[in-house]
Every structure is written in C-alpha cells, then in structure tokens.
Amino acid sequence: MSRKPISASDLPCIQCNKCTHVCPQNMVDPAFTPRGYLLQALMGEGAELEAGPEVWRCLTCLKCREACPSSTDWVGLVRELRHNAKGKDQCFECKHGHLVQILQRMMANPAIEQKRLGWAEGLEFADRGEWFYFTGCLPYFDNMFTFGSHTSIAKATLKLLNAGGVVPVLSNQERCCGYECLWNGDRETFSKLAKLNIETIAATGAKKVVTSCAECFHTLKADYAEERELPFEVVHSVTLFAQWAREGRLRFRKTPTPGVTYHDPCRLGRYEGIYDAPRELLKGVAGDSFKEMERIRGDALCCGVGNFSNCDSNTKFLQHDRLLEARRTGAEVMVTTCPKCRIHYGCYLDGRPIEPVENLQVRDITEIAAEALEP
Amino acid sequence: MNHEPDILGFACNWCGYAGADGAGQAKLQYPTSIRIIRVMCLGRVDPSFVLSAFERGYDGVALIGCHIGDCHYLSGNVNAQTVVEHLRGILDTMGLGRERLRMEEVSSREGPRFAELVRTFKDQLVAMGPSPLKKGKVELAEEGDRP
Ligand code: SF4
Ligand code: SF4
C-alpha cells in the first residue's frame, strides 16, 4: 500500500480556532496556535513553517483533531513537514542528543545481532508459534531512564500471557518499532525497521502480535500497514487481558489497593479509540478504588512529550498539571498503558518537580494486573 | 580475521589529553588506530556522542580522563562512570558487547600508561573482530554533519 503525501491544499480547515483552544501547547504558551499554522500552510507558506520550530513543538497528541469540526489532519501535515525538513537537514534540537534515533538507526542495520532477551530468563516463551510478544524498546530503556525498571512491564505482560495459557514467541531479532524516527521525519530508517520487524515476525509463523506499548501498537497497526500488508493481527495487551478477564481466563483477587486512576495515552486513546478496555481491566483489578480524573478519554491531557524530542518547560508544566489532577481524585497510583507516558511522568517526579507531588506513583497497567493475578 | 580497528578516544583536557601529549613528547610507540577528541571534562561526553561513534562504525570507544578524585570539576569523571556503565548495558543488549567501551584513568604524567592502554585496547578489538556496524575505515565527519 502506498502512502499519498498530505498537501496543505487538501486540508479542509475552516479556521474556526477550536483546535487552538484545546491544544495543550497553547494552554501553556498562547503564541502556539495550530489554527494560525494551518492558515500559513493554506496560504502556501508551508516552506516557512517547515523551517521554523513550530512543527517540532507540536506534541502530536491529536487533541486538535478531536475538537476539529472538519477533521483536518494537522498532525498528518506536521509529520509531512518534519519529513521534508529532515530532507533539507533542518533538524531540531533534541533534548536527548538524538539518542533514541541513533539507537534505532543502529538497529536498522541488518548486521546487528541483539541480545535483548536477558529480562526473560527463567520465564516461559517460545521460538515459533501463533502469538508474538513485541517488547519494543523496553530492554533498552532499563539503561536509559534509570529511575526504575522498564522490563518489569515486559515481565508482567509475559506472566499474564502465560496465565492465560499463551506461550508467546520472543525474538532477539526484534527491533524498535521505529516510532521516534517516523515522527521525527526519518521515514527512511522507519521503513527499514518496519521491513525487518515484519520479516522477523512472519518468520516465526505468528498470526497475532501483542504489544504492551501504546506507541508500538499504533505504529505496527497503522503505520506498518501503510508500508505493506501485514501477515498478522496486532493487539494491545490491555484489550486482550480485559477480554480474557471477561471470559474468566484471567482471574484477579480484588485486593484493597490504594486508589488508582487512569491516564489515557494518545496513541491508544485518540489514535486508536481504545478507552473502555483499560478501564474494564482496572475495575476488575482495583474494584471501587478506581477513580476517574476530570479530563478523560478524548479529552485526556497529553503527557507533554512527543517522540522523545520536544521536552521543555511547557512539558513540565503540563506534567505537573496532570499529576495534580490525578492526585485530586484521591488516587495514589496513576496507571497508564504506554511505557513512554510512564517514563515522561517518571522523569518529572524523579527530577525537579515544580513542587513535590506527594504520594503518587505512575505505573503500567500490566504491572498492577500481574500483581493481582490469582495464583 | 585480522583487521585494523578504529578507536575513538574522548580525552579530558587536564589529564587524558595531557597524558596522550606526554606519550607523544616521550616518542612512545602506540598504534595509530586511535583518534582523539579533546573535551574539557569527561562529564561533557553525552551518551549520544558514544553511540554516534558506534553508529559511524568505530570498533571501540575509550573515555580517558583524570583519576577518580582528581577531576578538575570535582565529579565529571564520576558522572561519566555512571554513563559508561549504562552505555555498556546498551551495547550488550545491542549485541556489540560491553567490552567495546572503556573508561580509563590517565594522569597528565602517565604517557606510558596511555600508550599501553591504546595497545591493549587495539589487541582486544582485533581479537573481537570488527564491529557489525563497520562499513570499512571510518571516514572523518564533514563539517556540518549532524547526527
Ligand atoms: S483545524 Fe479544525 S479546529 Fe482548527 S481551525 Fe481548522 S477547522 Fe477549526
Ligand atoms: S497535536 Fe496536540 S500539541 Fe499538536 S497542535 Fe494538536 S493539540 Fe496542539
């Protein structure tokens, strides 16, 4: 399947300004206005936009499209403009020195033979089979964001899969999904990674791919499918586990947990429309101690960072705002289904928060569920 | 297989680089496999610099700085130690092997120690074989090259 580039003249924007009103960047910096940028693009000034910092500051959280009456694909245009900018070497200043993209470019080289399964030692997995567990970058994150374990999410997912009677395939040949490269304008590396991953998965005979990351999920399901037809189905672990819990295939003991609340990640929520499954699973695990925040589902606030690049003081403000919102529900744990949301919030809590956010942990849904699993 | 490894060294201005200079002034022989980038302190070495070097095909990277406790900025080399430990974890996961990244303490008067470290590192990299990311002799980056 080939992709048609988005051009500004195709965009049906009516300049109503709804997008600007819901935009989290605009909430902190009134000068950031997607409506204004769209006007620029519609007036044929796309090249100037491309060269400026605005396209790199958009969090690609998709709140704007949620509000837009004409479904204008501004985020699609952002991706396109970033791609063009990259082609002209108009790069952005990455706060991590492009670390994630460097890793992904290394992995895009077929000569690399990874040893990424250290975390799974002693656990049950297979080399071939119907199910493939796509771990994503988790094994790398343990050495990159050192304020906690990230492979704990992978372990919890594997444990839940096993408990549901599935022994999934894990592969050393799996590579990062390429999400960061794609959204930072490096489509070339993304395509290489997509090709290698599709081949790796297909070679194991897997027909169902499970991910425990909202971004891997969306990337595989939507963006890989744009590259070529997929010989497998992609499912986020939370959908699967909620379904298994409903069928009685997974049983949880309702332990009295401290209050929990749920943060919708953009790629699972606004991009893929999955809002109910995580809530169903959380209620199954935490019962009545599950409480909703004020801004939920399509209206959920973004974690403040897109593709590991545009973290700044605005980000910190958004994170603080969201964590306080979580705290206001009385919850002590804010649960999410995206390891990267957890990293970004974790980074905020571990670093220098604007003011301390007491008694709040950010955790992944799989960890909570695996701990509550009935033996 | 015999190959000529490429090594990138980050040497701090006060100790590592002065040590390399000392080796040169004393006319000590050491392999030409190493290219040195002088930094004011090893604390300046961002993880992305090291990974970028591996991406470009370097077989090994060495961070050469002051002895622990002698850092001119107090804790730069201690911070670098932490960074190196995590980068080694990444190199293991990537399958390149943690041994390709070294951190060495060389004071400004330890020219012989510098020469010795380049020799042993080179031998070790010859034994390990070329990095899987190597596409031939690593070219110097052009001005304006971005990661
Ligand atoms: S993108 Fe949509 S919401 Fe924003 S100004 Fe245009 S029509 Fe309105
Ligand atoms: S994607 Fe998010 S950050 Fe970007 S313009 Fe839309 S609402 Fe604002």
Side-chain angles (χ1 to χ4, degrees), chain A residues 355-371:
Chain A
E355 52 186 61
V357 185
E358 305 284 351
N359 293 331
L360 188 70
Q361 276 181 297
V362 184
R363 303 197 66 196
D364 194 86
I365 199 161
T366 51
E367 296 175 321
I368 305 274
E371 281 164 20

Side-chain angles (χ1 to χ4, degrees), chain A residues 89 91 96-99 102-103 105-107 109 111-116 139-140 143-144 146, chain B residues 46-48 51-52 54-55 85-86 89-96 132-133 135 144 146-147:
Chain A
D89 205 20
C91 210
H96 290 288
H98 300 262
L99 194 61
I102 295 173
L103 282 175
R105 287 203 300 266
M106 287 165 88
M107 269 181 255
N109 188 323
I112 283 285
E113 299 268 351
Q114 299 168 82
K115 297 197 179 78
R116 51 153 56 225
Y140 289 96
N143 274 309
M144 292 166 72
T146 51
Chain B
D46 190 274
S48 62
L51 288 178
S52 218
F54 284 112
E55 190 204 347
E85 216 21 70
H86 292 306
I90 291 177
L91 292 177
D92 266 346
T93 314
M94 188 74 80
L96 293 180
L133 293 167
K135 302 172 221 85
R146 284 168 178 275

Side-chain angles (χ1 to χ4, degrees), chain A residues 12-20 34-36 38 42 64-65 67-74:
Chain A
C13 172
I14 52 167
Q15 290 288 302
C16 69
N17 211 28
K18 285 197 161 118
C19 49
T20 305
R35 200 254 334 127
L38 272 159
L42 292 169
C64 47
R65 207 180 69 195
C68 176
S70 61
S71 299
T72 298
D73 192 8
W74 155 249

